[in-house]
Amino acid sequence: MSLIVQKFGGTSVKDAGRINHVAQIVTDTYKKGNNVVVVVSAQGDTTDDLIAKAAEINSHPSKREMDVLLSAGEQISMSLLAMAIEQLGCPVKSLTGWQAGFETDANHGMARVRTIHKERLENELAKRNIVIVAGFQGLNRYDDITTLGRGGSDTSAVALAAALHADLCQIFTDVDGVYTADPRIVPGARKLAEITYDEMLELASLGAQVLHNRSVEMAKKYNVNMEVVSSLEDKPGTKIKEVTTVEKLLIKGVARDNDVARISVTEVPDEPGYAFRIFSALAAKKINVDIILQSIGRAGTKDISFTVSRDHKEEAVQLLEGMKDTLGCKDVLCEDNISKVSIVGAGIATNPGAAARMFEALADAHVNIQMISTSEIKISVLINREDSDKALRAIHDEFIPG
Amino acid sequence: MSLIVQKFGGTSVKDAGRINHVAQIVTDTYKKGNNVVVVVSAQGDTTDDLIAKAAEINSHPSKREMDVLLSAGEQISMSLLAMAIEQLGCPVKSLTGWQAGFETDANHGMARVRTIHKERLENELAKRNIVIVAGFQGLNRYDDITTLGRGGSDTSAVALAAALHADLCQIFTDVDGVYTADPRIVPGARKLAEITYDEMLELASLGAQVLHNRSVEMAKKYNVNMEVVSSLEDKPGTKIKEVTTVEKLLIKGVARDNDVARISVTEVPDEPGYAFRIFSALAAKKINVDIILQSIGRAGTKDISFTVSRDHKEEAVQLLEGMKDTLGCKDVLCEDNISKVSIVGAGIATNPGAAARMFEALADAHVNIQMISTSEIKISVLINREDSDKALRAIHDEFIPG
């Protein structure tokens, strides 16, 4: 008997029809003799609706009360799914985050799972109940409800799979797997049968939006077998594991991220310590910096540019404007009409020609590169937003066999 | 410093405007130096909406899952109210039923409060936090969420007031107190300044719909000072207590209950044991019987009639149809185009003329009486539904000085 964790997002349970369909998938898995733990998100737009209700009342509600409010969303979807499974004649229990034993830290709105107290879960599974667990939520040690932040249901699923030593953690989505690029932009994009945790991490953080990054980190850490699979069609998805064997592609995907702003601090004195001041100040405000580029010093000054997520751009600019005297710089400039386009693949590190091929493909497509960043398994370039579609296609054509 | 429990129903928190108004009432009470515990119901039609969602998926969902679903309703309203109170600058925490320590029996959908574990509540009050508690819900000893059934928020409020030895338990409603009759039907109806627990119990069970009966029973048992007060206007409500002193009315109110069906079992053998069989079978199915009338035996048979709530009429008829052989009866008839009209008042028992005056008033209004039932503090008659408005007015005019 295998133990399978299945996670369904908000779209997959958005109405009675979709819930009944999910119930069918779950009970089919159960009737094959598997133990099944299901993680659900709130229905469709419930979370947004609840946020709107709160905004009407208080523009800055406490994060504690937001967590109480939002966690009601999964409580609704999980009980409805349980009822649909009852209708199909299988034994089922729905459990809130705290009932399922999710203990988190006290960081409301962005809590991290500390541990899962498994007694209740194991008891229900021992009774051969299908267990539905509310994703995205837990309880801190003050007995207050916490949420894991957006996309947290993926993390809930992987954490459960790790704690219960599940044989498989299936993430059901409206896409049928991980593609080499967004098929809406790149017509030749191919579905991958397998991808490594590291590749998936780079793709996720680069805007591929299939899986939440924290869930993949956790899957890698605890070696959880994951699979991204369609909730609409019954066909193979993409497996995420430590080492892939099926495909020998140099790169696994081309990703685009529009959630990026470039900030430039111009004419900083070309002396030691200035970069440190900038980035330690940003770190103190918990502003994550991605690509960093420093111009070669000229006439005693240099320009320092970096990218942040668009959420943080105003805070970053304000912060640095306030430090102008300390930094002795001329201007703090911000540009957000840009995209980050990246290639991801475990083969990149051992294939020094990859970068050259990428840049050549972009040059042939007349796409200007503003900044470059590389890691073991990815190469990212910053380009004008309006060039990003053709850049994706050009790079994809270069690397992925048609 | 006093401790005041304030309960607000679904209509009182139905939208942002009403929630803000409630926050004002609560913080005004708090700023006078009182400790305040607030009990809220789900917003407006939330409970009905959730029931409709469930019905779309499963026509007979388990009561356990219904409780999980419905309890999300108060979780939403309590957090929104907390946010509104934060906006007014007062410290506040919202607590679900289980966080507030409500332990109930395992009777899903109709659970009874067993005990309230007060630690968390007392800690929050000691920090001078306003505490918002989700009404209507608790946790059984299997750590499953339970609900107290419709109107259960009143019971939650009284149970909290009893456990915390509150000085006052205020039930805020859209009416401004308890009236001698429904003012929409009886123009001369008067608001009562005070009413006894027993009188209130009779009025509530007779369909006055101001307070949930179980809450009044509990208030009587633990001697909780209750007050029914308007959530819309700042004016005195009706106090509910052991002994009233202000008004010396023979009767405190005239009530009507349309939720009643009369069932008649005709031509039952006029021998001992038949009534027992009928009513023990009904009791075994937990069907509550109210008024019972047995005809005088004639030609070796008798008719037995009784009333049940309309919810139970089909079940009762089915049950008795199935017992026809055992009962040796002719027919099982059901009539639900009827109303029960009652007068309530502690003075009735010591005033033998009350019944006669009531019947005379009905006769003068040409209202035919089908059945009669009396207790220490009430007299009820069963009449045709279409006569009930004029019956209410006739009785009210007779007993309540204009």
Side-chain angles (χ1 to χ4, degrees):
Chain A
M1 184 182 294
S2 294
L3 172 58
I4 298 179
V5 175
Q6 301 186 316
K7 181 259 170 178
F8 296 89
T11 316
S12 302
V13 292
K14 70 174 178 187
D15 55 34
R18 294 294 295 269
I19 288 176
N20 286 330
H21 180 67
V22 168
Q24 198 66 58
I25 294 173
V26 171
T27 52
D28 284 351
T29 311
Y30 175 84
K31 285 174 181 168
K32 284 175 190 154
N34 300 296
N35 273 331
V36 187
V37 176
V38 182
V39 175
V40 280
S41 306
Q43 286 187 287
D45 300 324
T46 303
T47 304
D48 291 332
D49 290 348
L50 291 174
I51 289 173
K53 275 188 181 235
E56 236 192 304
I57 284 172
N58 187 333
S59 52
H60 290 93
S62 67
K63 288 179 175 175
R64 179 193 188 275
E65 296 299 336
M66 275 310 285
D67 282 355
V68 175
L69 180 67
L70 295 183
S71 60
E74 293 84 40
Q75 199 166 319
I76 293 170
S77 58
M78 76 186 201
S79 52
L80 293 175
L81 177 56
M83 291 172 195
I85 289 172
E86 287 172 353
Q87 183 86 340
L88 297 177
C90 291
V92 60
K93 288 259 175 85
S94 73
L95 301 177
T96 62
W98 69 266
Q99 286 176 317
F102 273 81
E103 184 187 324
T104 73
D105 63 20
N107 193 6
H108 284 290
M110 277 294 286
R112 291 196 170 248
V113 178
R114 268 188 204 282
T115 188
I116 297 178
H117 303 280
K118 294 186 287 181
E119 297 79 3
R120 175 80 193 255
L121 286 165
E122 289 177 339
N123 284 342
E124 300 295 351
L125 290 172
K127 290 181 204 151
R128 274 291 278 160
N129 284 323
I130 294 170
V131 183
I132 319 281
V133 176
F136 172 73
Q137 57 179 250
L139 197 68
N140 69 22
R141 64 201 176 93
Y142 308 105
D143 274 359
D144 282 331
I145 295 167
T146 54
T147 69
L148 311 183
R150 288 255 165 169
S153 292
D154 288 349
T155 309
S156 299
V158 174
L160 275 172
L164 297 169
H165 307 292
D167 299 280
L168 181 60
C169 178
Q170 294 184 304
I171 309 288
F172 287 82
T173 69
D174 272 13
V175 297
D176 61 354
V178 180
Y179 277 73
T180 52
D182 186 336
R184 288 167 304 185
I185 300 163
V186 180
R190 288 172 45 187
K191 188 168 74 174
L192 296 164
E194 293 182 344
I195 189 168
T196 68
Y197 297 125
D198 285 335
E199 289 167 344
M200 190 66 229
L201 275 174
E202 290 289 2
L203 281 179
S205 67
L206 295 172
Q209 290 176 337
V210 178
L211 276 181
H212 199 255
N213 229 351
R214 276 162 66 188
S215 68
V216 183
E217 283 169 18
M218 192 179 282
K220 175 175 158 70
K221 184 169 172 189
Y222 295 104
N223 207 16
V224 171
N225 281 318
M226 283 180 92
E227 184 179 12
V228 174
V229 61
S230 168
S231 61
L232 299 169
E233 299 169 88
D234 184 16
K235 58 182 182 182
T238 299
K239 290 195 190 322
I240 304 155
K241 46 211 288 202
E242 188 58 42
V243 179
T244 58
T245 49
V246 177
E247 282 163 297
K248 293 293 181 192
L249 288 174
L250 172 60
I251 75 161
K252 285 292 170 58
V254 186
R256 170 176 56 180
D257 186 1
N258 286 337
D259 177 28
V260 59
R262 188 192 64 205
I263 292 172
S264 301
V265 188
T266 63
E267 300 187 20
V268 178
D270 189 10
E271 290 160 24
Y274 285 92
F276 165 76
R277 281 178 214 171
I278 290 172
F279 295 110
S280 65
L282 291 165
K285 292 278 183 191
K286 297 200 187 301
I287 297 173
N288 272 330
V289 171
D290 184 20
I291 306 179
I292 299 174
L293 183 142
Q294 183 179 304
S295 68
I296 293 164
R298 204 183 303 187
T301 67
K302 61 191 173 190
D303 300 339
I304 295 179
S305 301
F306 56 89
T307 60
V308 296
S309 76
R310 288 153 67 95
D311 275 359
H312 285 136
K313 75 176 181 197
E314 278 158 30
E315 201 182 348
V317 169
Q318 255 179 21
L319 175 71
L320 295 170
E321 286 279 2
M323 294 171 66
K324 262 184 163 176
D325 287 348
T326 327
L327 295 176
C329 66
K330 182 155 175 269
D331 286 310
V332 177
L333 307 173
C334 181
E335 164 67 76
D336 64 0
N337 188 27
I338 52 179
S339 289
K340 186 167 65 171
V341 171
S342 311
I343 58 173
V344 172
I348 287 173
T350 52
N351 193 316
R357 281 174 67 193
M358 181 182 183
F359 302 156
E360 187 184 3
L362 290 170
D364 287 349
H366 304 288
V367 174
N368 189 42
I369 299 173
Q370 298 185 13
M371 292 170 87
I372 298 168
S373 155
T374 62
S375 81
E376 282 287 294
I377 63 163
K378 73 144 201 222
I379 302 170
S380 301
V381 295
L382 215 62
I383 60 177
N384 281 332
R385 174 83 50 93
E386 56 267 32
D387 289 334
S388 69
D389 281 5
K390 68 176 174 181
L392 273 181
R393 285 190 288 263
I395 298 171
H396 196 271
D397 288 349
E398 173 64 31
F399 286 99
I400 315 273
Chain B
M1 182 182 296
S2 293
L3 171 59
I4 299 179
V5 174
Q6 300 185 316
K7 181 259 169 177
F8 296 90
T11 316
S12 302
V13 292
K14 70 175 177 185
D15 56 32
R18 294 292 296 268
I19 288 176
N20 286 329
H21 180 68
V22 168
Q24 198 66 58
I25 294 173
V26 171
T27 52
D28 284 351
T29 310
Y30 176 82
K31 285 174 182 168
K32 283 176 189 155
N34 300 298
N35 275 330
V36 187
V37 176
V38 182
V39 174
V40 280
S41 305
Q43 286 187 286
D45 299 324
T46 302
T47 304
D48 291 331
D49 290 347
L50 291 174
I51 289 172
K53 274 186 182 239
E56 236 191 306
I57 284 173
N58 188 332
S59 53
H60 290 91
S62 68
K63 289 180 174 174
R64 179 194 188 275
E65 297 299 336
M66 277 308 286
D67 282 355
V68 175
L69 179 69
L70 296 182
S71 60
E74 294 85 42
Q75 199 166 319
I76 293 170
S77 58
M78 77 186 201
S79 52
L80 292 174
L81 178 56
M83 292 173 194
I85 289 172
E86 287 172 354
Q87 183 85 339
L88 296 176
C90 291
V92 60
K93 287 258 174 83
S94 73
L95 301 178
T96 61
W98 69 267
Q99 287 176 317
F102 274 81
E103 183 188 325
T104 73
D105 63 20
N107 193 4
H108 284 292
M110 278 293 286
R112 293 198 168 244
V113 179
R114 268 188 202 282
T115 186
I116 297 178
H117 303 279
K118 295 186 286 181
E119 298 77 4
R120 176 79 192 255
L121 285 165
E122 288 176 341
N123 284 341
E124 300 296 350
L125 291 171
K127 292 180 202 154
R128 273 291 278 160
N129 285 322
I130 294 171
V131 182
I132 320 281
V133 176
F136 171 74
Q137 57 178 250
L139 197 67
N140 68 23
R141 66 200 175 96
Y142 308 106
D143 274 359
D144 282 331
I145 295 167
T146 53
T147 68
L148 311 183
R150 289 254 162 166
S153 291
D154 289 349
T155 309
S156 299
V158 174
L160 276 172
L164 296 169
H165 307 291
D167 300 279
L168 182 61
C169 178
Q170 295 183 305
I171 309 288
F172 288 80
T173 70
D174 271 14
V175 297
D176 61 354
V178 180
Y179 277 73
T180 51
D182 186 337
R184 287 168 303 186
I185 300 164
V186 180
R190 287 171 47 184
K191 189 168 72 174
L192 296 165
E194 293 182 344
I195 188 170
T196 67
Y197 297 122
D198 286 335
E199 288 167 344
M200 191 66 228
L201 274 174
E202 291 288 2
L203 280 179
S205 67
L206 296 171
Q209 290 176 336
V210 179
L211 276 180
H212 199 255
N213 229 351
R214 275 162 67 187
S215 68
V216 182
E217 283 169 19
M218 192 180 283
K220 176 176 158 69
K221 184 169 172 189
Y222 295 104
N223 208 13
V224 172
N225 282 317
M226 283 181 93
E227 185 179 11
V228 173
V229 60
S230 168
S231 62
L232 299 168
E233 300 169 88
D234 185 15
K235 59 182 183 184
T238 299
K239 291 195 191 321
I240 305 156
K241 47 212 291 202
E242 189 57 43
V243 179
T244 58
T245 49
V246 176
E247 283 164 295
K248 295 293 182 196
L249 288 173
L250 172 59
I251 76 161
K252 284 290 170 60
V254 185
R256 174 190 38 194
D257 186 0
N258 286 339
D259 176 27
V260 60
R262 186 193 63 206
I263 293 172
S264 301
V265 187
T266 62
E267 300 188 21
V268 178
D270 190 11
E271 289 160 25
Y274 286 92
F276 165 76
R277 283 176 213 172
I278 291 172
F279 296 111
S280 64
L282 291 165
K285 293 277 183 190
K286 296 200 187 300
I287 298 172
N288 272 330
V289 171
D290 184 21
I291 306 179
I292 298 173
L293 184 139
Q294 183 179 306
S295 68
I296 293 164
R298 205 181 303 185
T301 68
K302 61 193 174 188
D303 301 340
I304 297 179
S305 302
F306 55 89
T307 62
V308 297
S309 76
R310 287 154 68 95
D311 276 358
H312 286 136
K313 75 176 180 195
E314 279 159 30
E315 201 183 348
V317 170
Q318 254 178 20
L319 175 71
L320 296 170
E321 287 279 0
M323 294 172 65
K324 262 184 164 177
D325 287 348
T326 326
L327 294 176
C329 65
K330 181 153 175 271
D331 287 310
V332 177
L333 307 173
C334 181
E335 163 68 73
D336 65 1
N337 187 28
I338 50 178
S339 289
K340 185 168 65 172
V341 170
S342 311
I343 58 174
V344 172
I348 287 174
T350 51
N351 194 317
R357 281 173 66 191
M358 181 182 183
F359 302 155
E360 187 182 4
L362 289 171
D364 287 350
H366 303 287
V367 174
N368 188 43
I369 300 172
Q370 299 184 14
M371 292 169 87
I372 299 168
S373 156
T374 61
S375 80
E376 282 287 293
I377 63 165
K378 74 146 200 222
I379 301 170
S380 301
V381 295
L382 215 62
I383 60 176
N384 281 331
R385 175 82 50 92
E386 58 266 31
D387 288 336
S388 68
D389 282 6
K390 70 176 175 184
L392 273 181
R393 285 191 286 264
I395 298 171
H396 195 272
D397 287 350
E398 172 65 31
F399 286 98
I400 316 273

mmCIF file of all heavy atoms in Angstrom, chain B residues 124-141:
data_model
loop_
_atom_site.group_PDB
_atom_site.id
_atom_site.type_symbol
_atom_site.label_atom_id
_atom_site.label_comp_id
_atom_site.label_asym_id
_atom_site.label_seq_id
_atom_site.Cartn_x
_atom_site.Cartn_y
_atom_site.Cartn_z
ATOM 1 N N GLU B 124 -6.084 36.770 27.870
ATOM 2 C CA GLU B 124 -6.298 37.907 26.967
ATOM 3 C C GLU B 124 -6.968 39.072 27.710
ATOM 4 O O GLU B 124 -6.624 40.231 27.505
ATOM 5 C CB GLU B 124 -7.158 37.487 25.764
ATOM 6 C CG GLU B 124 -6.575 36.369 24.898
ATOM 7 C CD GLU B 124 -5.264 36.754 24.204
ATOM 8 O OE1 GLU B 124 -4.884 37.944 24.227
ATOM 9 O OE2 GLU B 124 -4.619 35.846 23.638
ATOM 10 N N LEU B 125 -7.917 38.746 28.595
ATOM 11 C CA LEU B 125 -8.588 39.805 29.351
ATOM 12 C C LEU B 125 -7.625 40.473 30.324
ATOM 13 O O LEU B 125 -7.661 41.695 30.530
ATOM 14 C CB LEU B 125 -9.803 39.245 30.103
ATOM 15 C CG LEU B 125 -10.983 38.817 29.219
ATOM 16 C CD1 LEU B 125 -12.034 38.091 30.045
ATOM 17 C CD2 LEU B 125 -11.603 40.030 28.519
ATOM 18 N N ALA B 126 -6.728 39.663 30.893
ATOM 19 C CA ALA B 126 -5.741 40.221 31.835
ATOM 20 C C ALA B 126 -4.823 41.220 31.137
ATOM 21 O O ALA B 126 -4.329 42.166 31.749
ATOM 22 C CB ALA B 126 -4.924 39.091 32.461
ATOM 23 N N LYS B 127 -4.619 41.007 29.825
ATOM 24 C CA LYS B 127 -3.806 41.963 29.042
ATOM 25 C C LYS B 127 -4.648 43.145 28.574
ATOM 26 O O LYS B 127 -4.205 43.922 27.737
ATOM 27 C CB LYS B 127 -3.214 41.252 27.822
ATOM 28 C CG LYS B 127 -2.167 40.210 28.136
ATOM 29 C CD LYS B 127 -1.651 39.584 26.830
ATOM 30 C CE LYS B 127 -1.043 38.221 27.083
ATOM 31 N NZ LYS B 127 -1.105 37.349 25.894
ATOM 32 N N ARG B 128 -5.881 43.213 29.039
ATOM 33 C CA ARG B 128 -6.817 44.271 28.646
ATOM 34 C C ARG B 128 -7.112 44.243 27.144
ATOM 35 O O ARG B 128 -7.328 45.288 26.515
ATOM 36 C CB ARG B 128 -6.301 45.666 29.053
ATOM 37 C CG ARG B 128 -6.676 46.079 30.462
ATOM 38 C CD ARG B 128 -8.154 46.339 30.650
ATOM 39 N NE ARG B 128 -8.601 47.686 30.215
ATOM 40 C CZ ARG B 128 -9.872 47.957 29.940
ATOM 41 N NH1 ARG B 128 -10.809 47.006 30.038
ATOM 42 N NH2 ARG B 128 -10.238 49.162 29.551
ATOM 43 N N ASN B 129 -7.094 43.041 26.565
ATOM 44 C CA ASN B 129 -7.546 42.908 25.188
ATOM 45 C C ASN B 129 -9.061 42.770 25.152
ATOM 46 O O ASN B 129 -9.643 42.128 26.023
ATOM 47 C CB ASN B 129 -6.948 41.657 24.529
ATOM 48 C CG ASN B 129 -5.494 41.839 24.163
ATOM 49 O OD1 ASN B 129 -5.087 42.916 23.724
ATOM 50 N ND2 ASN B 129 -4.701 40.793 24.338
ATOM 51 N N ILE B 130 -9.676 43.399 24.155
ATOM 52 C CA ILE B 130 -11.049 43.044 23.816
ATOM 53 C C ILE B 130 -10.971 41.674 23.154
ATOM 54 O O ILE B 130 -10.108 41.441 22.320
ATOM 55 C CB ILE B 130 -11.656 44.078 22.844
ATOM 56 C CG1 ILE B 130 -11.794 45.440 23.535
ATOM 57 C CG2 ILE B 130 -13.007 43.594 22.306
ATOM 58 C CD1 ILE B 130 -12.173 46.575 22.590
ATOM 59 N N VAL B 131 -11.835 40.761 23.549
ATOM 60 C CA VAL B 131 -11.792 39.417 22.966
ATOM 61 C C VAL B 131 -13.051 39.188 22.138
ATOM 62 O O VAL B 131 -14.164 39.367 22.635
ATOM 63 C CB VAL B 131 -11.683 38.337 24.066
ATOM 64 C CG1 VAL B 131 -11.578 36.954 23.427
ATOM 65 C CG2 VAL B 131 -10.470 38.604 24.948
ATOM 66 N N ILE B 132 -12.849 38.831 20.870
ATOM 67 C CA ILE B 132 -13.976 38.466 20.014
ATOM 68 C C ILE B 132 -14.015 36.956 19.927
ATOM 69 O O ILE B 132 -13.009 36.331 19.600
ATOM 70 C CB ILE B 132 -13.810 38.984 18.568
ATOM 71 C CG1 ILE B 132 -13.228 40.380 18.531
ATOM 72 C CG2 ILE B 132 -15.113 38.881 17.788
ATOM 73 C CD1 ILE B 132 -14.170 41.460 18.811
ATOM 74 N N VAL B 133 -15.148 36.382 20.238
ATOM 75 C CA VAL B 133 -15.263 34.927 20.205
ATOM 76 C C VAL B 133 -16.290 34.521 19.138
ATOM 77 O O VAL B 133 -17.348 35.133 19.035
ATOM 78 C CB VAL B 133 -15.694 34.376 21.584
ATOM 79 C CG1 VAL B 133 -15.921 32.872 21.527
ATOM 80 C CG2 VAL B 133 -14.670 34.727 22.646
ATOM 81 N N ALA B 134 -15.932 33.516 18.351
ATOM 82 C CA ALA B 134 -16.862 32.972 17.364
ATOM 83 C C ALA B 134 -18.008 32.299 18.094
ATOM 84 O O ALA B 134 -17.794 31.373 18.870
ATOM 85 C CB ALA B 134 -16.157 31.958 16.476
ATOM 86 N N GLY B 135 -19.226 32.746 17.848
ATOM 87 C CA GLY B 135 -20.378 32.102 18.465
ATOM 88 C C GLY B 135 -20.669 30.777 17.792
ATOM 89 O O GLY B 135 -20.058 30.432 16.778
ATOM 90 N N PHE B 136 -21.562 29.969 18.411
ATOM 91 C CA PHE B 136 -22.186 28.874 17.665
ATOM 92 C C PHE B 136 -21.280 27.663 17.501
ATOM 93 O O PHE B 136 -21.710 26.626 17.010
ATOM 94 C CB PHE B 136 -22.590 29.456 16.293
ATOM 95 C CG PHE B 136 -23.079 28.542 15.213
ATOM 96 C CD1 PHE B 136 -24.349 27.993 15.286
ATOM 97 C CD2 PHE B 136 -22.291 28.264 14.100
ATOM 98 C CE1 PHE B 136 -24.820 27.185 14.248
ATOM 99 C CE2 PHE B 136 -22.759 27.464 13.068
ATOM 100 C CZ PHE B 136 -24.027 26.930 13.152
ATOM 101 N N GLN B 137 -20.019 27.736 17.966
ATOM 102 C CA GLN B 137 -19.099 26.648 17.660
ATOM 103 C C GLN B 137 -18.232 26.240 18.839
ATOM 104 O O GLN B 137 -18.004 27.013 19.764
ATOM 105 C CB GLN B 137 -18.194 27.037 16.488
ATOM 106 C CG GLN B 137 -17.391 28.310 16.715
ATOM 107 C CD GLN B 137 -16.470 28.620 15.543
ATOM 108 O OE1 GLN B 137 -15.265 28.522 15.640
ATOM 109 N NE2 GLN B 137 -17.074 28.984 14.444
ATOM 110 N N GLY B 138 -17.760 25.010 18.786
ATOM 111 C CA GLY B 138 -16.857 24.502 19.806
ATOM 112 C C GLY B 138 -16.076 23.331 19.254
ATOM 113 O O GLY B 138 -15.958 23.163 18.039
ATOM 114 N N LEU B 139 -15.558 22.552 20.185
ATOM 115 C CA LEU B 139 -14.718 21.417 19.807
ATOM 116 C C LEU B 139 -15.120 20.251 20.697
ATOM 117 O O LEU B 139 -15.292 20.422 21.905
ATOM 118 C CB LEU B 139 -13.258 21.791 20.080
ATOM 119 C CG LEU B 139 -12.174 20.944 19.414
ATOM 120 C CD1 LEU B 139 -12.209 21.153 17.905
ATOM 121 C CD2 LEU B 139 -10.802 21.328 19.949
ATOM 122 N N ASN B 140 -15.281 19.060 20.108
ATOM 123 C CA ASN B 140 -15.577 17.927 20.966
ATOM 124 C C ASN B 140 -14.273 17.251 21.418
ATOM 125 O O ASN B 140 -13.187 17.697 21.069
ATOM 126 C CB ASN B 140 -16.531 16.947 20.266
ATOM 127 C CG ASN B 140 -15.888 16.241 19.079
ATOM 128 O OD1 ASN B 140 -14.666 16.136 18.993
ATOM 129 N ND2 ASN B 140 -16.711 15.765 18.171
ATOM 130 N N ARG B 141 -14.390 16.193 22.215
ATOM 131 C CA ARG B 141 -13.173 15.653 22.798
ATOM 132 C C ARG B 141 -12.349 14.860 21.792
ATOM 133 O O ARG B 141 -11.248 14.413 22.097
ATOM 134 C CB ARG B 141 -13.474 14.840 24.057
ATOM 135 C CG ARG B 141 -14.264 13.590 23.830
ATOM 136 C CD ARG B 141 -14.918 13.142 25.140
ATOM 137 N NE ARG B 141 -15.790 12.005 24.906
ATOM 138 C CZ ARG B 141 -15.431 10.736 25.072
ATOM 139 N NH1 ARG B 141 -14.225 10.439 25.475
ATOM 140 N NH2 ARG B 141 -16.290 9.774 24.840
#
